[in-house]
Amino acid sequence: MEEATRNPGPGLTLGGAAVPAVAESILSGAFQLLFCGAVLVCAVAATVFAVRRHSTPDPDREAADTVFWDVFMGSAVALPALLIPTLASPWSGVVLTALAAATGVAAYRSTPRIMAWQSARRQRRLDQPVYTAAQAEHDTLLARWSRYELDPAYCIDYPAMTDVRRPQTAALVRAMREADQLRNARHQGYAPAVVRLGLALSAAEQAAGIPASAE
């Protein structure tokens, strides 16, 4: 009796060691599932986005060939991430297949919004030099106009510049309002609006009889 207590049988030893082994196996399987799931999600989303982007008609690009390589490269990453856990556990394959399908649908629906955001961001970078130049010209025109409101000598000599009953002055006020609104909104039409403001200001000055030297 005492000897059996001091030396437990092999069955008890194996049973005690089986618990950590099972826990380790579960943790390893969960980590593998999470890792493969993350890889699968990224691969499916990137593939769907690339295919939709390259499917857009572009005369300078061979769309069919590009789409083929997008699908090939995406499959080379997604299929192993799906098959490896499936071989270990069929239920993992079911979960990952559902996850891949949901990811594909979400990526398909969100791709137009992402492409529109990228296009707008690219256009803003291209328009920034034009916008900066338009801002400088706008400030110059406003300073030129402010003389007729703030300088008493100009107010006395050229009262027509502040008389909105005159068609040229009314058009100038509308042009200033339009340029201010587009400037605050950073609209693409801001630069043309500044050009129209300059023309309206020149027309109002000419109608008011202001000599070129005063302009």
Side-chain angles (χ1 to χ4, degrees):
M1 179 75 65
E2 294 179 358
E3 183 178 357
T5 303
R6 289 193 301 268
N7 298 317
L12 295 177
T13 304
L14 293 176
V19 175
V22 171
E24 183 179 356
S25 176
I26 293 175
L27 291 177
S28 176
F31 176 78
Q32 183 184 37
L33 182 63
L34 291 176
F35 177 77
C36 292
V39 173
L40 183 63
V41 167
C42 294
V44 171
T47 302
V48 172
F49 175 77
V51 168
R52 291 211 66 183
R53 180 183 180 186
H54 293 153
S55 297
T56 304
D58 190 343
D60 297 331
R61 183 172 54 209
E62 294 292 338
D65 188 59
T66 306
V67 169
F68 168 78
W69 286 110
D70 289 336
V71 175
F72 177 79
M73 295 301 294
S75 301
V77 177
L79 288 180
L82 176 62
L83 294 178
I84 292 175
T86 303
L87 295 176
S89 172
W91 286 108
S92 299
V94 173
V95 172
L96 290 178
T97 301
L99 181 63
T103 302
V105 172
Y108 183 86
R109 291 182 176 180
S110 61
T111 296
R113 293 193 297 270
I114 297 175
M115 293 176 62
W117 174 78
Q118 290 181 337
S119 178
R121 183 181 180 185
R122 189 182 309 111
Q123 189 63 41
R124 283 196 300 268
R125 288 199 301 267
L126 296 176
D127 292 341
Q128 185 59 39
V130 178
Y131 182 82
T132 302
Q135 278 184 314
E137 179 65 18
H138 192 185
D139 293 338
T140 301
L141 293 174
L142 291 179
R144 178 172 150 192
W145 156 256
S146 65
R147 299 179 303 175
Y148 305 108
E149 286 188 323
L150 304 178
D151 192 325
Y154 277 88
C155 290
I156 295 173
D157 294 338
Y158 311 110
M161 290 299 297
T162 56
D163 187 0
V164 294
R165 293 172 298 180
R166 297 174 62 89
Q168 294 82 2
T169 305
L172 172 61
V173 172
R174 289 194 298 269
M176 285 193 296
R177 186 181 298 115
E178 179 190 18
D180 287 337
Q181 291 175 350
L182 295 178
R183 179 174 185 169
N184 294 332
R186 299 186 68 89
H187 195 272
Q188 293 182 356
Y190 172 57
V194 172
V195 174
R196 291 192 294 270
L197 173 59
L199 296 175
L201 180 56
S202 298
E205 289 175 334
Q206 184 177 3
I210 301 174
S213 59
E215 296 178 14

